[in-house]
Amino acid sequence: MNDEMIWHIQVKRLYLLLNTKEKAAEVPSNSEARRRISFFATSLFMDMPAAPKVRSMLSFSIVTPYFMEEVKFSDEELHSDQDEASILSYMQKIYPDEWTNFLERLGTNVKSEDIRYWASFRGQTLSRTVRGMMYYRKALRLQAFLDRTNDQELYKGPVGTEREQNKRNIHQSLSTELDALADMKFSYVISCQKFGEQKSNGDAHAQDIIDLMARYPALRVAYIEEKEIIVDNMPHKVYSSVLIKAENNLDQEIYRIKLPGPPIIGEGKPENQNHAIIFTRGEALQTIDMNQDNYLEEAYKMRNVLQEFVRHPRDQTPTILGLREHIFTGSVSSLAGFMSYQETSFVTIGQRFLADPLRVRFHYGHPDIFDRMFHLTRGGISKASKTINLSEDVFAGYNSILRRGHITYNEYIQVGKGRDVGLNQISKFEAKVANGNSEQTLSRDIYRLARRFDFFRMLSCYFTTVGFYFNSLISVVGVYVFLYGQLYLVLSGLQSALLIKAHHQNMKSLETALASQSFLQLGLLTGLPMVMELGLEKGFRAALSDFILMQLQEIRWEVSCDGHIFNMVYGNDLAIRTFSFQSSWFCLAQDC
């Protein structure tokens, strides 16, 4: 193809991009559907390795730690109106078109169980996470069928092929073969720490988990079993890790591993992960939290993602592969929207910049994919020591870097993630992250990293860990110093005296410093990268409107002290981070 033809194709493509307008009937009315289609179509033009056949791809597993969270909503929870609105009515208001489609799809055969799952798939429940992760198996099964079908049979589909060959058993054997191949390449283990205890106590959560395994036959559950036996006329507790599956709507034991003692002696979540890793299979291991989701179209790209472990030279092969997240809770409230935008900046711009060129990206939990054999032979995917490993995920990144591992980040695939949507929840989350960071600075891992990093990576590591909080502290203190300084100048009359003196002596610089305010303040400057990111993804008009709306949707909080009303206005990321600190300090200062 000569240069003239290439230029002709590029000009034609540019012309179509500028002039083609979709018809309203061709655009999905659901905003989430538009977002997913847009990202999937855009990601196909990114630097993505070619996908091998399913038989040749790397096998992988997923592990999800579960403690006592909601599995699926019960009928009582769905229809209870203790907060002036039931969960079901709230879901119907947030997702009106999806509720309409649900009723249209099922017609008059709507059952209570169907409604429970419909609502649970739109909340932060274990059912939503399991449904999303099982899309991997569904995608692999379809791709395996496409791999073994020629072009003539492809357009007829599996049913057409069956009719043409007129043999029912061929279709059955094909289905069995596809299931076996998908199960060989993919496994999903939920580490339910308290399942044995829940089952013995008759907890409804245990039955909900069994129902999930019955709904998804390839799902496996690992839990810790505690039994008391008599040895030499003395009671003795025996602990075991047990793997189960569903059989005829009952749980059936597959494997049992006796443990030397109680496994949960450190932090709960990493210990819960560590005891279940032995039941995973394959070359790669993806860590998924309980409040995540996945999309079918993104599951089709998993073969491409796993090729990242084999496409690079040996010294550049990733040991932890970071993936992008989409925060699906941003539409719940304005505060949830602020948190969603903050997370969007962190899991896209921040992660990309930390990975390249800074090369100080570690593991921040959620959808990252591990080189399973590398980490199983080097201490596991998380540390669980009490208190010091409060932020257990990042220590896996420290561990990988200290052992000559390589951590990368890719954006052509995304995984859903739910975040806290209440002010109190956000404050607790930020406090947990800050406390975990302070514990990291006391650990031997960060000491060893600092001793071995070069100068530039050491500075980058500092400013992405404790340096970030130190800068935030300086910013908050600087705001207080500025406000109290201005208050002192005004009340003492010094400001007017200085202004008069500056005017008489024609000192423009002093007059400007005293009288003017900077428009581009810290909150606006820190929001610019987010605006640029949204502009590239949604278009700059949509990004600008979202940014202006975010500034207008400020959070107003009123404190009444001795009959006086004090308004506190918060509208940016820095204010949200310091909300609880400022409010408690203010009340103490005013003797509330």
Side-chain angles (χ1 to χ4, degrees):
M1 187 181 294
N2 55 31
D3 295 340
E4 184 178 351
M5 187 176 296
I6 293 175
W7 273 104
H8 178 73
I9 293 174
Q10 296 295 335
V11 171
K12 183 178 180 181
R13 182 182 177 190
L14 178 62
Y15 175 78
L16 291 174
L17 287 173
L18 294 175
N19 291 277
T20 302
K21 188 175 181 61
E22 300 90 349
K23 298 179 181 177
E26 299 173 353
V27 179
S29 59
N30 187 279
S31 59
E32 177 66 8
R34 293 198 300 269
R35 183 197 65 79
R36 286 171 56 176
I37 293 173
S38 175
F39 179 81
F40 179 75
T42 306
S43 67
L44 298 180
F45 295 94
M46 297 184 185
D47 182 19
M48 189 164 45
K53 292 188 175 183
V54 175
R55 287 185 177 274
S56 305
M57 68 176 285
L58 297 179
S59 56
F60 71 104
S61 296
I62 298 177
V63 61
T64 296
Y66 168 83
F67 183 60
M68 297 285 285
E69 296 86 359
E70 199 68 59
V71 180
K72 63 179 179 181
F73 296 124
S74 63
D75 287 325
E76 293 78 14
E77 290 173 325
L78 285 180
H79 297 94
S80 175
D81 54 356
Q82 293 180 355
D83 298 327
E84 299 181 358
S86 63
I87 294 178
L88 183 59
S89 62
Y90 183 67
M91 293 289 183
Q92 292 170 353
K93 291 292 184 182
I94 295 182
Y95 309 105
D97 50 347
E98 296 182 28
W99 174 252
T100 304
N101 295 338
F102 171 72
L103 295 178
E104 181 182 345
R105 185 168 62 251
L106 295 185
T108 58
N109 299 323
V110 180
K111 300 178 182 178
S112 174
E113 191 70 11
D114 297 329
I115 296 177
R116 288 180 64 188
Y117 272 112
W118 181 87
S120 300
F121 289 157
R122 283 151 185 81
Q124 295 189 46
T125 61
L126 182 63
S127 299
R128 179 174 189 163
T129 305
V130 171
R131 181 196 64 164
M133 296 307 121
M134 293 308 291
Y135 281 144
Y136 283 129
R137 186 178 184 276
K138 190 174 182 179
L140 290 176
R141 197 177 183 280
L142 176 60
Q143 290 170 329
F145 168 74
L146 296 177
D147 288 342
R148 71 181 308 280
T149 309
N150 57 40
D151 293 338
Q152 287 74 24
E153 296 174 334
L154 182 61
Y155 293 101
K156 300 176 182 178
V159 178
T161 305
E162 171 198 318
R163 288 176 178 172
E164 184 181 11
Q165 296 171 349
N166 200 21
K167 293 182 180 179
R168 188 177 184 84
N169 60 337
I170 291 181
H171 178 63
Q172 293 176 347
S173 63
L174 173 61
S175 179
T176 304
E177 179 185 342
L178 296 179
D179 286 336
L181 185 56
D183 290 336
M184 186 172 62
K185 295 297 182 180
F186 167 73
S187 64
Y188 187 20
V189 178
I190 303 177
S191 182
C192 298
Q193 175 182 328
K194 296 283 187 178
F195 177 79
E197 182 181 325
Q198 290 173 332
K199 185 182 175 184
S200 61
N201 295 336
D203 193 336
H205 288 81
Q207 186 58 47
D208 289 341
I209 292 172
I210 295 175
D211 293 341
L212 267 183
M213 289 192 290
R215 188 182 181 95
Y216 302 100
L219 180 64
R220 300 291 181 263
V221 169
Y223 70 95
I224 298 167
E225 184 182 76
E226 178 183 336
K227 278 187 177 181
E228 192 171 280
I229 61 175
I230 304 300
V231 179
D232 298 332
N233 296 324
M234 294 289 292
H236 182 69
K237 288 186 177 181
V238 176
Y239 299 89
S240 303
S241 285
V242 184
L243 184 72
I244 61 174
K245 66 176 181 179
E247 192 71 31
N248 298 323
N249 291 327
L250 297 173
D251 56 303
Q252 180 181 357
E253 183 178 317
I254 306 174
Y255 298 114
R256 175 183 294 269
I257 299 174
K258 186 178 178 181
L259 302 174
I264 310 297
I265 58 177
E267 296 294 336
K269 178 187 171 184
E271 294 279 32
N272 200 8
Q273 283 180 324
N274 290 337
H275 94 91
I277 290 178
I278 192 65
F279 299 121
T280 60
R281 297 180 283 109
E283 292 91 351
L285 177 64
Q286 187 175 23
T287 53
I288 294 293
D289 280 352
M290 211 288 303
N291 57 347
Q292 295 200 234
D293 193 9
N294 197 18
Y295 313 110
L296 180 60
E297 69 276 7
E298 300 301 314
Y300 289 126
K301 294 181 280 191
M302 195 60 181
R303 293 186 302 172
N304 308 78
V305 174
L306 294 176
Q307 283 300 103
E308 298 283 351
F309 289 103
V310 297
R311 72 184 291 201
H312 298 284
R314 186 175 182 84
D315 59 335
Q316 298 179 11
T317 301
T319 52
I320 298 179
L321 186 63
L323 303 182
R324 172 183 168 139
E325 287 180 314
H326 168 256
I327 311 301
F328 56 75
T329 53
S331 60
V332 175
S333 65
S334 60
L335 187 60
F338 295 147
M339 192 68 177
S340 174
Y341 282 126
Q342 175 190 342
E343 285 289 315
T344 300
S345 299
F346 177 69
V347 300
T348 53
I349 309 170
Q351 299 293 305
R352 182 195 312 145
F353 193 63
L354 289 176
D356 185 28
L358 297 184
R359 294 177 61 215
V360 290
R361 184 188 187 273
F362 303 110
H363 169 54
Y364 299 98
H366 315 155
D368 286 6
I369 303 175
F370 288 80
D371 184 332
R372 181 171 172 271
M373 296 310 298
F374 178 91
H375 286 87
L376 277 182
T377 55
R378 290 165 176 83
I381 62 171
S382 59
K383 290 189 176 182
S385 300
K386 202 70 175 176
T387 305
I388 193 70
N389 297 132
L390 179 63
S391 299
E392 78 287 340
D393 298 323
V394 75
F395 284 93
Y398 295 158
N399 194 36
S400 184
I401 293 294
L402 285 170
R403 285 156 179 79
R404 296 182 179 274
H406 182 59
I407 301 175
T408 60
Y409 174 74
N410 288 281
E411 290 193 68
Y412 54 78
I413 184 173
Q414 67 177 359
V415 179
K417 174 70 176 175
R419 273 297 182 198
D420 300 317
V421 296
L423 186 59
N424 193 34
Q425 295 170 314
I426 293 175
S427 177
K428 288 182 178 179
F429 171 75
E430 297 289 349
K432 175 182 177 294
V433 174
N435 292 339
N437 186 269
S438 63
E439 296 292 346
Q440 293 166 35
T441 60
L442 303 176
S443 67
R444 68 185 73 181
D445 303 75
I446 201 73
Y447 169 76
R448 290 170 177 168
L449 280 174
R451 291 293 298 269
R452 287 161 177 79
F453 272 159
D454 58 70
F455 179 74
F456 298 102
R457 290 183 76 185
M458 183 172 62
L459 285 182
S460 301
C461 181
Y462 166 75
F463 279 105
T464 53
T465 52
V466 67
F468 169 79
Y469 293 95
F470 187 69
N471 290 343
S472 299
L473 173 65
I474 293 177
S475 302
V476 173
V477 172
V479 169
Y480 279 120
V481 171
F482 171 75
L483 291 176
Y484 280 114
Q486 288 286 97
L487 183 64
Y488 171 75
L489 289 175
V490 172
L491 295 180
S492 64
L494 186 60
Q495 185 179 22
S496 60
L498 289 174
L499 282 173
I500 294 173
K501 183 177 180 181
H503 178 71
H504 288 320
Q505 298 186 7
N506 199 21
M507 297 170 62
K508 297 295 183 183
S509 57
L510 179 58
E511 189 174 348
T512 303
L514 289 171
S516 66
Q517 298 291 332
S518 175
F519 176 73
L520 293 176
Q521 295 176 357
L522 183 65
L524 294 176
L525 289 175
T526 54
L528 286 180
M530 181 197 69
V531 175
M532 296 299 295
E533 180 72 21
L534 293 176
L536 292 175
E537 295 187 359
K538 297 182 179 181
F540 284 99
R541 185 176 65 180
L544 193 59
S545 63
D546 286 352
F547 183 72
I548 294 175
L549 185 64
M550 184 174 62
Q551 298 300 320
L552 295 177
Q553 286 181 334
E554 295 171 327
I555 307 164
R556 292 189 173 271
W557 186 59
E558 295 186 346
V559 181
S560 177
C561 294
D562 298 328
H564 299 284
I565 299 297
F566 299 93
N567 292 324
M568 290 190 175
V569 182
Y570 300 88
N572 56 29
D573 173 52
L574 176 64
I576 292 175
R577 289 180 180 275
T578 58
F579 178 87
S580 58
F581 166 73
Q582 291 190 34
S583 58
S584 59
W585 180 90
F586 187 81
C587 281
L588 288 175
Q590 297 293 332
D591 296 326
C592 289

